[in-house]
Amino acid sequence: MTDQYAVIGNPISHSLSPLIHRAFARQTGQDMDYDRLLAPVDAFASIARSFFAAEGRGLNVTVPFKLDAAALADQLTDRARAAGAVNTLVLGSDGRLLGDNTDGAGLVNDLTRQLRWPLEGQRILLLGAGGAARGVLQPLLAQLPEAIHIANRTAARAVQLAQRFPQGGRVTGGGLDDLPGPFNLVINASSASLSGEMPALPAAVISSDTRAYDMVYGAEPTVFMRWAADCGAETADGLGMLVAQAAESFFLWRGLHPQLAPVLSELRAGLKRNQTDEQN
């Protein structure tokens, strides 16, 4: 019987996860299928339980259900517990659900292995204090940066998040109007790029050796990436993070590490084709 996996969210029709995991399965010769699963916002737990009761093997979880997934899991990994959110559910042989969060590992993989950007000893600015930021803090800290400063439109949320990671003062938080820059790396973990908005950042956060990373991706650079490039930074979007975090989930389910570069190239080409089709 073909093993069943899915990504669950609301909305979900836009998700690239089925394309990614089906490509991983072809590449590694796995007998599995992967679909999208739309859940009403108040029915995540019942839909997820029904999926596993029907012999589903694993779920990826996207907005707005990552906190619900953490509550549903019987056991959490350390990184899921630190993030306070789950994006991967694994059905164990004992019928128990393991909740993990692969977002941070995906980000670190993309930064260090695909882009070859250094993290150790670097000063990092993390924009946003929501679930995306929470999910990547512990893996970023494991790379031994000099400091991470969390900046958010509501300063109190950034301060509160920083206080969850007592790392000898290496993690601090505050608002967007008082930033101790410049930084070696600026990561946009806010939702601003989804609506085409630019966080109110001073150009002083960018120096001649700054790199800027937006977790949002698209066929064209985001407004944040364009701003950072105009300030002199090297830039990248989050498509590589999407593929790398999916590979982490795939390893949890199948015990195999797929190759990322071919899938990333395929997705990038698909985004360009879709953009061309929309323009014609």
Side-chain angles (χ1 to χ4, degrees):
M1 180 181 293
T2 299
D3 293 335
Q4 300 296 316
Y5 298 87
V7 57
I8 183 171
N10 188 333
I12 200 60
S13 61
H14 66 286
S15 176
L16 296 178
S17 292
L19 299 178
I20 296 171
H21 283 280
R22 289 170 186 170
F24 288 164
R26 290 193 302 271
Q27 182 190 119
T28 58
Q30 297 295 291
D31 184 14
M32 58 177 283
D33 197 11
Y34 188 109
D35 289 310
R36 299 178 182 92
L37 192 58
L38 176 67
V41 293
D42 59 350
F44 166 80
S46 62
I47 297 295
R49 288 194 183 99
S50 295
F51 173 82
F52 286 110
E55 299 187 353
R57 297 288 302 275
L59 283 174
N60 282 134
V61 183
T62 188
V63 292
F65 299 127
K66 293 185 180 182
L67 297 181
D68 300 271
L72 180 67
D74 299 302
Q75 181 182 357
L76 299 177
T77 64
D78 290 342
R79 59 190 182 184
R81 191 174 297 106
V86 160
N87 78 336
T88 305
L89 289 168
V90 184
L91 182 64
S93 57
D94 58 358
R96 290 165 56 83
L97 286 178
L98 173 68
D100 200 357
N101 191 306
T102 66
D103 286 333
L107 173 64
V108 168
N109 182 296
D110 194 33
L111 291 172
T112 61
R113 298 186 182 180
Q114 312 307 316
L115 296 170
R116 300 191 181 281
W117 291 0
L119 293 177
E120 184 174 354
Q122 303 292 288
R123 287 173 46 79
I124 299 174
L125 174 61
L126 184 62
L127 303 175
R134 279 202 310 271
V136 302
L137 264 169
Q138 186 190 54
L140 284 173
L141 284 165
Q143 299 300 305
L144 303 178
E146 177 184 325
I148 298 178
H149 184 75
I150 306 164
N152 192 60
R153 184 168 52 186
T154 304
R157 292 190 64 197
V159 172
Q160 184 180 36
L161 179 56
Q163 290 172 344
R164 290 187 56 181
F165 293 84
Q167 301 286 327
R170 284 196 296 144
V171 183
T172 55
L176 296 173
D177 55 352
D178 184 24
L179 296 173
F183 296 88
N184 304 112
L185 174 62
V186 181
I187 301 173
N188 185 18
S190 75
S191 60
S193 290
L194 292 173
S195 55
E197 299 176 1
M198 174 63 205
L201 292 175
V205 302
I206 305 289
S207 71
S208 59
D209 66 347
T210 300
R211 296 177 171 96
Y213 189 96
D214 199 333
M215 289 189 186
V216 173
Y217 59 86
E220 298 294 335
T222 66
V223 63
F224 167 77
M225 292 169 63
R226 294 197 300 270
W227 171 83
D230 287 343
C231 293
E234 182 182 355
T235 65
D237 72 8
L239 190 63
M241 174 183 172
L242 176 70
V243 175
Q245 65 81 26
E248 286 283 322
S249 296
F250 190 84
F251 176 74
L252 288 170
W253 294 329
R254 312 300 295 186
L256 297 168
H257 288 290
Q259 296 181 26
L260 307 189
V263 180
L264 182 56
S265 296
E266 181 181 334
L267 290 181
R268 189 74 70 186
L271 290 174
K272 291 291 187 181
R273 284 195 302 271
N274 291 341
Q275 181 189 42
T276 300
D277 292 343
E278 291 173 1
Q279 292 172 346
N280 292 337

